Amino acid sequence: MDRREFLKRTAVLGLGGAALLLPRSVRRAFGAGEGLPGLAAVRGGEPGEMFERGVAALGGMERFVKKGQTVVIKPNMSWDVPPERGGNTNPELVERIVRRCLEAGASKVYAFDHTCDLWRNSYRNSGVEEAVKRGGGVVAPADTSGYYQKVPLPGGRALKETAVHELMLECDVFINVPVLKHHGGAGITMGMKNLMGTVWNRGEFHAKGLHQCIADVSLFRKPALTVIDAYRMMTRNGPRGTSERDVTLLKAQILSTDIVAGDAAAARIFGADPKNVSYIRSASEMGIGTMDLESLGVERIAL
């Protein structure tokens, strides 16, 4: 899918889809409480600068990270492919987030992923491991069951419990940093699907119903912030992709305090109605978050 096809495909989605990213004046519809938007849609820049503008619109990094807190960042670095393939989160974005967490006062910033390919190769060749280190963070392994602890999932419909990485239990702040891309099983992968990299037994997700299990695991710990990387968007042959021909250079990013809203916005960018993505619909019905972007408050930024 090239850019022309992408815009044509998303045009039918009204205010969603490409419209979220079209350059025009900023639209605000503040949510109740803090008087700040809950979602920022940014386009047209490099990954680091889009994050800077987006997080500033949401109130700055200090809204999410306080002095002395430990932070876990969960990027997608599951695949042994280079950044140009769009299979993993953009390294520049991850480095910028780590730096800003530390500048906001974090005592330590960790990143990990339960990879699908060999973890050492995936960490290294995705470029994310080096990016985390450049930013001042620590990359943690997640390749053996000893790193995981079983937790209940009250309210889960298909998944009543699962084993999650110990850092998810120990950290003060959790920031989810997925990449938006095609996925052969789930259709699209983004925020909630990225949480499968925090659990040990991914196989039971497929055995018990992938979409419902994705919604269920989202009950465990909602991220303070979800940053969806759509700089390079894999539009086919996901989740691993076969070549750079599977990737569209979109230069977009979604930041949200609500993981369900973030996924709903990202689905529209991908060209899908979020109501037709089962795990988004289920998560909304379960009260994990909202698909109603207007109620959350949206700020759109074109660079």
Side-chain angles (χ1 to χ4, degrees):
M1 181 170 65
D2 59 20
R3 183 170 176 78
R4 177 177 295 179
E5 183 185 355
F6 160 72
L7 290 171
K8 180 180 178 182
R9 185 171 160 184
T10 54
V12 299
L13 294 173
L15 285 175
L20 266 173
L21 304 174
L22 289 176
R24 64 182 194 183
S25 60
V26 169
R27 174 170 58 89
R28 290 176 184 268
F30 293 141
E34 296 174 295
L36 292 167
L39 188 145
V42 192
R43 66 169 292 269
E46 295 304 302
E49 65 178 329
M50 287 194 290
F51 174 74
E52 300 285 5
R53 292 292 297 275
V55 78
L58 297 183
M61 206 65 201
E62 292 76 11
R63 178 182 177 186
F64 306 102
V65 179
K66 309 300 182 189
K67 187 176 181 181
Q69 291 184 319
T70 58
V71 179
V72 164
I73 293 174
K74 169 57 180 70
N76 188 324
M77 49 177 165
S78 191
W79 304 99
D80 180 12
V81 294
E84 293 75 17
R85 288 271 294 272
N88 302 299
T89 305
N90 188 285
E92 180 188 336
L93 171 61
V94 176
E95 179 181 350
R96 190 65 63 96
I97 296 173
V98 172
R99 288 187 186 280
R100 293 297 171 260
C101 288
L102 291 170
E103 289 172 3
S107 60
K108 210 148 195 175
V109 180
Y110 297 95
F112 77 91
D113 195 3
H114 184 192
T115 65
C116 293
D117 288 339
L118 292 174
W119 76 280
R120 290 189 183 279
N121 294 344
S122 297
Y123 275 30
R124 180 180 59 249
N125 296 329
S126 66
V128 177
E129 179 178 33
E130 185 58 33
V132 171
K133 292 178 179 176
R134 283 198 306 268
V138 177
V139 176
D143 61 315
T144 64
S145 60
Y147 293 120
Y148 295 80
Q149 297 183 33
K150 190 169 287 186
V151 297
L153 297 173
R157 295 175 175 175
L159 203 62
K160 303 297 184 183
E161 62 179 20
T162 194
V164 302
H165 196 283
E166 59 192 5
L167 284 174
M168 295 290 291
L169 297 166
E170 296 168 0
C171 71
D172 298 307
V173 181
F174 171 46
I175 299 177
N176 190 26
V177 193
V179 62
L180 172 62
K181 60 179 178 175
H182 173 257
H183 189 282
I188 318 170
T189 175
M190 37 202 165
M192 286 186 279
K193 176 69 175 61
N194 194 46
L195 300 180
M196 283 183 70
T198 68
V199 308
W200 175 245
N201 186 3
R202 285 194 298 258
E204 66 178 344
F205 281 59
H206 296 280
K208 296 179 178 178
L210 179 60
H211 283 268
Q212 187 56 56
C213 287
I214 291 171
D216 289 346
V217 79
S218 303
L219 288 164
F220 168 61
R221 180 161 188 173
K222 298 177 185 177
L225 177 65
T226 294
V227 184
I228 302 176
D229 168 29
Y231 186 77
R232 296 183 180 89
M233 186 174 71
M234 185 189 297
T235 59
R236 60 187 182 187
N237 296 320
R240 197 175 195 282
T242 58
S243 73
E244 292 181 35
R245 291 191 295 276
D246 295 331
V247 175
T248 294
L249 186 62
L250 191 60
K251 292 191 173 184
Q253 197 174 108
I254 298 290
L255 302 88
S256 183
T257 56
D258 183 313
I259 190 171
V260 179
D263 277 9
R268 289 187 174 278
I269 290 173
F270 193 83
D273 187 332
K275 294 178 182 175
N276 295 329
V277 181
S278 292
Y279 66 82
I280 297 178
R281 188 175 64 249
S282 291
S284 177
E285 292 170 354
M286 294 164 69
I288 297 169
T290 181
M291 293 192 293
D292 181 3
L293 305 187
E294 299 300 325
S295 68
L296 194 65
V298 178
E299 182 148 348
R300 290 182 295 169
I301 302 166
L303 302 180

